[in-house]
């Protein structure tokens, strides 16, 4: 059995747990399915082997009932129990749970009292004011649900880059391994590093397209073939049902095809205009002068034909890059993840992180980084294991010890201190003063209006010990709107006062986003690219932060954690003093 069958099992068990909760089953029984799902997800061994040897039941948490259902799903592709549970609710019922703040208990109440079983009927019920009077809801919740539905609609079908990219990259490596494939690359919005992506686009070259397309359609990740022609195959993927398109071209057309399918459409329209001025025609099929097709070996060649500087994929959005490339003013030292020397913004088991300080530091070091800023939550952040001043001082002892042990790596003492409603910081100045790195962030009272919220942040900048504004807008992609903030004013004062703005690389945040990065740079503000790491795996967030900063035209010199540790700390402090 492949790992994808395993994924099916995990999804089925999770859905059962949710549906049982919707039915109001006792928590113990629901929990059994959740734990079963976790258990299967964590099994390293091949499940079919366990099944053949009748050892499923030996897994802790997998009793007879679960083992039977798993066997049934693997043997028949179906699970009666799940199907009969699903049949008790409308097909859109589980969609409701994709609305933030709507847990199974609330969704069950909506179904029980209002027969609301999908997003559309939930929206009508809210508009008619029927949701607010339900026990446990109220006016505010009703309003929040309506706002969340709007966001859900707007993001419909678009996946976060962070969810899609690992799957796209895995699929790409499988395509590269298909016999006959000469080259293959990701194209489309994923290559441009857009924060949300509708589908996976892959371009490959081969002498014969049809056998490559056939092999693609048969990959284990593919759940359904939507269409297959002479040059293109469209499929649906497991486990997330994303769509992926593979196009296969002769190798001499690879560069122009890759360029065409990378987009964006807006960038291409500009290039086509410039091509016509030069008697050239650019299309999906390549570059032509009259009837003659010109050889184009690389994307660099293509831009050269148009007298343009090479434009990296992340910048191809018609946001001024064509003019800049024509004037030879496009930055050639854009930030990339390889430039980063230190990991900024991390949490450990001292607050709400999952790994010890030592494990975080060792993992960062193993990845080639030279320092880690230790920035736990502050005292009023009791929702996230915030540290008191005493906790913080005890943590310094541990940091000092680790720094003695690790020769070529430094843990920097810091805090992710809350910006309180008043704009004051959640620790006294005489404590903040002792820290190497102070990140200040908003975590509560998101609902303030634009004026209040802007003043709150601007006031925080008056504290001379604040170095970095953390996740400046608080948005969560596809899940939560940004706070109402006047970003131009924030960027202006940040630049003037020497406050650094964070490009948070958590792929749910990407905050600042690329457009805001450009605003920040236009005002002359500096940046850090952060991991906001709560686990070892989150160290990989830096790649998303760096890509986002790059999409916002940030150069290496704009990003302070490209500096060595001591220069990094010195710059943070020096910038504040100079203001
Ligand atoms: P997405 O899929 O919505 O996240 O965004 P893209 O940019 O990946 O869009 P997609 O997948 O529809 O097409 C990939 C690229 O192919 C697109 O960026 C530019 C090119 N392309 C597709 N359709 C057209 C078209 O009708 N005209 C032009 N000029 N280019 C197109
Ligand atoms: Ca696409
Ligand atoms: Zn935070």
């Amino acid at each position: 059995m492949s790992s994808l069958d395993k994924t099916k099992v995990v999804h089925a068990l999770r859905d059962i747990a949710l549906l049982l909760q919707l039915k109001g089953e006792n928590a113990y029984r629901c929990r059994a399915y959740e734990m079963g799902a976790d258990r299967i997800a964590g099994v390293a061994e091949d499940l079919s082997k366990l099944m053949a040897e009748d050892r499923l039941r030996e897994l802790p948490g997998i009793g007879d009932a679960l083992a039977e259902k798993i066997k049934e799903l693997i043997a028949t592709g179906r699970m009666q129990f799940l199907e009969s549970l699903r049949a008790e609710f409308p097909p859109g019922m589980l969609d409701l749970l994709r609305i933030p703040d709507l847990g199974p208990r609330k969704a069950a109440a909506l179904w029980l009292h209002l027969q609301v079983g999908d997003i559309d009927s939930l929206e009508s019920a809210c508009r008619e004011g029927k949701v607010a009077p339900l026990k446990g809801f109220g006016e505010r919740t009703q309003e929040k649900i309506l706002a969340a539905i709007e966001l859900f609609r707007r993001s419909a079908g678009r996946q976060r880059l962070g969810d899609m990219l690992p799957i796209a990259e895995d699929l790409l490596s499988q395509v590269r391994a298909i016999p006959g494939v000469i080259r293959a690359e990701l194209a489309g919005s994923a290559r441009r590093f857009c924060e949300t992506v509708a589908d996976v686009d892959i371009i490959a070259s081969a002498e014969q397209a049809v056998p490559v397309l056939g092999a693609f359609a048969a990959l284990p990740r593919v759940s359904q073939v939507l269409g297959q022609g002479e040059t293109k195959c469209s499929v649906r993927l497991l486990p997330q049902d994303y769509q992926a398109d593979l196009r296969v071209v002769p190798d001499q057309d690879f560069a122009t095809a890759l360029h065409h399918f990378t987009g964006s459409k807006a960038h291409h329209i500009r290039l086509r205009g410039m091509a016509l001025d030069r008697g050239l025609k650019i299309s999906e099929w390549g570059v032509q002068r009259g009837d003659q097709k010109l050889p184009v070996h690389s994307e660099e060649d293509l831009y050269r034909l148009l007298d343009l500087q090479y434009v990296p994929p992340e910048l191809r959005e018609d946001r001024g890059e064509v003019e800049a490339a024509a004037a030879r003013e496009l930055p050639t030292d854009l930030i990339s993840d390889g430039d980063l020397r230190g990991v900024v913004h991390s949490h450990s088991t001292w607050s709400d992180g999952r790994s010890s300080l030592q494990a975080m530091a060792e993992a960062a070091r193993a990845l080639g980084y030279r320092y880690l800023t230790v920035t736990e939550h502050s005292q009023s952040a009791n929702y996230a294991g915030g540290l008191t001043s005493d906790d913080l001082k005890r943590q310094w002892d541990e940091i000092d010890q680790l720094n003695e042990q690790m020769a070529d790596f430094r843990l920097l003492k810091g805090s992710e201190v809350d910006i309180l409603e008043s704009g004051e910081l959640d620790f006294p100045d005489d404590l903040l003063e002792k820290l190497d790195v102070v990140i200040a962030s908003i975590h509560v009272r998101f609902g303030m209006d634009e004026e209040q919220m802007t003043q709150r942040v601007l006031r925080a900048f008056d504290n001379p010990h604040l170095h970095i504004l953390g996740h400046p807008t608080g948005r969560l992609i596809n899940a939560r709107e940004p706070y109402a903030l006047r970003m131009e004013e924030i960027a202006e004062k940040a630049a003037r006062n020497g406050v650094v703005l964070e490009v948070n690389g958590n792929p749910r945040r990407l905050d600042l986003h690329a457009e805001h990065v450009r605003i920040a740079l236009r005002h002359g503000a500096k940046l850090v690219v952060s991991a906001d790491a709560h686990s070892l795996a989150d160290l990989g967030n830096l790649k998303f932060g760096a890509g986002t900063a790059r999409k916002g035209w940030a150069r290496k010199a704009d990003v302070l954690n490209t500096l060595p540790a001591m220069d990094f700390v010195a710059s943070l402090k020096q910038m504040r003093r100079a203001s």
Side-chain angles (χ1 to χ4, degrees):
M1 185 180 71
S2 73
S3 61
L4 292 166
D5 289 325
K6 195 165 104 181
T7 312
K8 268 190 205 166
V9 172
V10 172
H11 280 248
L13 297 180
R14 293 237 161 92
D15 282 356
I16 290 179
L18 288 172
L19 289 162
L20 287 176
Q21 282 173 278
L22 284 174
K23 281 185 61 157
E25 280 281 346
N26 77 55
Y28 180 76
R29 186 152 179 242
C30 304
R31 189 78 195 107
Y33 283 92
E34 271 169 27
M35 288 193 322
D38 288 349
R39 190 61 67 183
I40 298 293
V43 167
E45 258 182 288
D46 197 65
L47 275 194
S48 57
K49 189 158 162 274
L50 287 178
M51 208 169 86
E53 294 168 6
D54 206 18
R55 285 168 46 217
L56 269 181
R57 248 160 278 226
E58 288 173 18
L59 296 173
I62 306 289
D64 286 352
L66 257 73
E68 285 310 317
K69 292 186 179 83
I70 295 169
K71 279 191 202 162
E72 180 197 349
L73 180 65
I74 293 170
T76 68
R78 306 177 56 173
M79 202 187 270
Q80 268 307 245
F81 182 58
L82 175 58
E83 286 176 21
S84 62
L85 274 176
R86 280 217 175 102
E88 293 182 40
F89 296 98
M93 195 69 196
L94 288 179
D95 282 348
L96 291 186
L97 300 176
R98 294 174 62 181
I99 301 292
D101 300 329
L102 263 196
R105 190 174 307 183
K106 281 210 169 82
L110 289 168
W111 173 238
L112 191 67
H113 300 294
L114 301 175
Q115 281 72 55
V116 158
D118 59 59
I119 304 268
D120 284 342
S121 44
L122 176 59
E123 184 174 18
S124 321
C126 287
R127 292 208 190 287
E128 290 160 21
K130 291 181 183 159
V131 172
L134 292 184
K135 188 162 168 256
F137 284 79
E139 288 291 338
R140 227 177 108 59
T141 304
Q142 180 170 283
E143 264 170 48
K144 270 173 130 177
I145 292 175
L146 269 177
I149 290 175
E150 198 196 319
L151 192 62
F152 178 83
R153 290 255 159 74
R154 232 181 308 137
S155 58
R158 298 199 68 83
Q159 312 296 332
R160 282 185 295 251
L161 180 69
D163 297 333
M164 182 80 103
L165 199 57
I167 291 172
E169 285 174 344
D170 177 57
L171 189 66
L172 176 65
S173 66
Q174 292 180 24
V175 168
R176 285 179 173 153
I178 294 173
V181 168
I182 303 166
R183 304 187 256 179
E185 292 292 345
L186 288 183
S189 47
R191 185 167 181 239
R192 301 200 312 279
F193 224 82
C194 297
E195 61 193 33
T196 63
V197 172
D199 60 359
V200 180
D201 301 291
I202 299 180
I203 307 298
S205 66
E207 281 183 21
Q208 293 193 322
V210 171
V212 171
L213 295 168
F216 177 70
L219 288 176
R221 260 200 187 285
V222 169
S223 61
Q224 188 192 348
V225 177
L226 298 170
Q228 189 176 341
E230 300 282 291
T231 58
K232 176 180 164 184
C233 179
S234 295
V235 301
R236 290 202 159 280
L237 300 177
L238 287 166
Q240 309 289 10
D241 218 29
Y242 298 153
Q243 186 178 326
D245 293 348
L246 173 70
R247 289 182 175 80
V248 182
V249 299
D251 200 57
Q252 64 267 25
D253 293 342
F254 183 77
T256 49
L258 176 62
H259 183 266
H260 177 84
F261 290 106
T262 296
S264 68
K265 223 184 267 188
H267 177 79
H268 284 186
I269 289 171
R270 298 294 312 282
L271 296 191
R272 282 172 192 193
M274 303 193 64
L276 287 178
D277 296 343
R278 286 163 180 74
L280 300 173
K281 185 166 177 292
I282 300 184
S283 74
E284 183 176 348
W285 314 110
V287 183
Q288 282 175 287
R289 177 173 282 128
D291 292 339
Q292 189 205 354
K293 187 160 155 181
L294 304 183
V296 180
H297 299 293
S298 65
E299 290 187 319
E300 283 82 354
D301 270 6
L302 181 64
Y303 285 99
R304 215 170 290 131
L305 278 171
L306 302 174
D307 301 313
L308 294 174
Q309 255 179 305
Y310 173 71
V311 180
E314 297 90 340
L315 269 50
R316 298 180 194 165
E317 301 288 356
D318 191 22
R319 302 273 175 144
E321 75 280 6
V322 178
E323 290 80 357
R328 316 245 139 226
E329 284 168 358
L330 215 53
T332 53
D333 51 357
L334 291 172
I335 181 79
S336 68
D337 50 355
D339 295 328
L340 300 175
R341 297 216 208 171
V343 179
V344 172
H345 197 157
S346 71
H347 302 270
S348 73
T349 43
W350 279 87
S351 66
D352 62 346
R354 287 209 293 273
S355 306
S356 69
L357 270 187
Q358 180 166 5
M360 292 294 286
E362 281 171 358
R365 182 166 169 268
L367 289 169
Y369 298 108
R370 307 305 297 270
Y371 54 99
L372 176 79
T373 78
V374 180
T375 48
E376 313 287 3
H377 292 286
S378 59
Q379 53 195 6
S380 77
N382 40 25
Y383 49 84
L387 270 58
T388 63
S389 358
D390 285 344
D391 294 334
L392 197 59
K393 287 175 187 156
R394 282 192 297 116
Q395 191 187 44
W396 296 345
D397 295 336
E398 184 176 332
I399 291 178
D400 287 337
Q401 267 176 26
L402 287 167
N403 276 335
E404 263 171 47
Q405 288 164 27
M406 299 178 80
D408 50 357
F409 190 87
R410 275 199 81 79
L411 290 98
L412 299 172
K413 293 172 188 164
S415 171
E416 183 186 13
V417 59
D418 262 49
I419 299 177
L420 304 175
E421 197 173 336
S422 61
E424 285 169 313
L425 302 187
D426 189 31
F427 277 134
D429 284 2
D430 60 351
L431 182 68
L432 293 175
E433 189 182 39
K434 298 197 175 77
L435 293 168
D436 297 320
V437 182
V438 175
I439 301 177
S441 313
I442 287 178
H443 289 121
V444 290
R445 297 280 288 124
F446 296 151
M448 292 164 72
D449 69 22
E450 184 181 77
E451 177 59 24
Q452 293 170 328
M453 202 56 132
T454 304
Q455 291 308 328
R456 179 180 179 183
V457 174
L458 294 178
R459 208 166 302 135
F461 287 2
D462 291 332
N463 185 308
H465 306 297
L466 177 162
H467 301 127
I468 298 166
L469 177 65
H471 44 74
T473 76
R475 67 91 178 248
L476 296 177
I477 300 172
N478 287 359
R480 187 171 76 205
E481 298 287 358
Y483 339 121
L485 269 185
R486 292 194 294 273
M487 188 48 66
E488 297 275 356
E489 269 173 66
I490 305 284
E492 189 275 327
K493 183 161 177 179
R496 185 155 41 86
N497 282 24
V499 170
V500 176
L501 300 179
E502 178 183 58
V503 182
N504 188 301
N506 175 337
R508 290 159 43 80
R509 293 189 181 273
L510 302 184
D511 179 13
L512 299 175
H513 64 60
E515 282 302 302
H516 281 157
V517 168
R518 287 193 79 184
I519 291 176
L521 296 175
R522 212 180 310 122
H523 286 278
K526 293 284 181 199
L527 308 170
V528 290
V529 165
S530 85
D532 198 353
H534 290 74
S535 68
L536 303 184
D538 284 352
L539 295 172
N541 290 351
L542 286 173
K543 161 176 154 174
F544 290 97
T548 301
R550 183 178 168 89
K551 192 167 182 63
W553 295 47
R555 302 166 167 210
K556 182 178 174 187
D558 296 318
V559 178
L560 291 186
N561 54 321
T562 58
L563 297 170
M566 288 306 118
D567 295 353
F568 170 70
V569 173
S571 310
L572 292 178
K573 300 202 182 257
Q574 199 270 328
M575 282 173 55
R576 289 315 311 266
R577 270 200 302 276
S579 71

